[in-house]
Amino acid sequence: MTQHNSQRREQIIKTAQELFAEQGFANTTTRQLNQTVGIADGLLYYYFPQGKQALLDTIVATGISDRLNMIRMQLQGVDTLDGLEQAMMQAFEKVWAVLSAPEGYQVFVITVRERHLLSQKASAWLDQSALKFVQTMSAQLATLPWLHLDVTNAAQLASIVIDLLRNSLASDLLFADRQHISEATKIRVQGQLHYLLQQLH
């Protein structure tokens, strides 16, 4: 693919992402996409032979993959439950910062709102990515000898923590449309993490 074609493809993806986030996948027509990008009718199919569906799958896969790579929980030197709680809160704040940035927010909204419209392949990829995220966190937790968690318990803890954080993100970012994390949200999430971790005693 030439540089011009690559740039045009990225322009189509960016425009589709903005339109899908703003007005929804179903309410965005191929003609509107073509007009907004400034390309002739039908040219979209040159770049995306499956049309809007391929665009949706690409936006979710690329957007989630890029953002997952930006998020890592730092556990080096963590040797107490309080330290683990702080590391989890720092990871939560990092996730929030990534997803509340304009492009991250668009991808998050599209992924949550249009999940049922993803192709089977894209949906399976999303499930695998979520599982990989849990596995990464559980592997990190299992490296803390003082925590005394076996592989199964580490995976369970990681799943609960990620569900807790995901629910908070969906509630505040998506439903309440808050672009910045509030002190009330931080206190609520930290309280939930604190309660959860205290059960490990």
Side-chain angles (χ1 to χ4, degrees):
M1 184 176 283
T2 67
Q3 184 176 356
H4 176 267
N5 285 350
S6 181
Q7 289 172 341
R8 178 54 57 87
R9 187 176 189 277
E10 288 304 311
Q11 183 185 15
I12 292 169
I13 292 170
K14 187 175 186 300
T15 301
Q17 182 172 300
E18 291 169 355
L19 291 173
F20 292 171
E22 182 181 336
Q23 60 193 34
F25 177 81
N27 292 327
T28 302
T29 65
T30 302
R31 173 166 286 188
Q32 182 184 18
L33 265 168
N34 290 335
Q35 289 175 344
T36 306
V37 175
I39 57 176
D41 287 347
L43 192 55
L44 175 71
Y45 294 96
Y46 168 76
Y47 295 97
F48 297 93
Q50 285 77 44
K52 276 175 42 181
Q53 182 63 57
L55 265 170
L56 176 62
D57 290 350
T58 300
I59 288 166
V60 170
T62 304
I64 295 297
S65 180
D66 288 349
R67 279 147 192 87
L68 284 179
N69 289 334
M70 299 166 76
I71 300 161
R72 290 284 181 272
M73 187 168 64
Q74 300 299 323
L75 295 184
Q76 196 169 21
V78 171
D79 55 7
T80 64
L81 285 176
D82 286 344
L84 181 56
E85 181 181 313
Q86 290 306 314
M88 287 180 173
M89 277 304 296
Q90 288 169 1
F92 172 64
E93 290 179 33
K94 191 182 295 183
V95 171
W96 189 290
V98 167
L99 295 182
S100 63
E103 285 195 10
Y105 183 70
Q106 289 170 353
V107 171
F108 181 68
V109 168
I110 292 166
T111 303
V112 174
R113 191 173 57 200
E114 314 292 1
R115 172 66 193 263
H116 65 290
L117 295 176
L118 291 175
S119 69
Q120 188 174 2
K121 181 179 178 182
S123 189
W125 177 89
L126 198 57
D127 289 340
Q128 280 299 113
S129 296
L131 179 60
K132 187 176 178 183
F133 198 56
V134 170
Q135 290 171 337
T136 300
M137 180 182 280
S138 64
Q140 286 182 290
L141 292 171
T143 65
L144 301 175
W146 56 269
L147 203 50
H148 306 296
L149 291 179
D150 60 24
V151 174
T152 301
N153 288 332
Q156 288 174 341
L157 177 59
S159 293
I160 293 169
V161 169
I162 289 170
D163 282 345
L164 186 158
L165 301 183
R166 183 169 39 205
N167 290 341
S168 182
L169 287 165
S171 172
D172 281 35
L173 270 179
L174 189 61
F175 303 122
D177 198 23
R178 296 192 186 108
Q179 294 296 112
H180 302 286
I181 187 170
S182 68
E183 281 304 312
T185 296
K186 284 185 186 179
I187 291 168
R188 185 185 75 242
V189 170
Q190 186 153 10
Q192 292 170 329
L193 285 173
H194 182 79
Y195 176 80
L196 176 64
L197 294 176
Q198 291 308 306
Q199 307 313 303
L200 298 177
H201 273 310

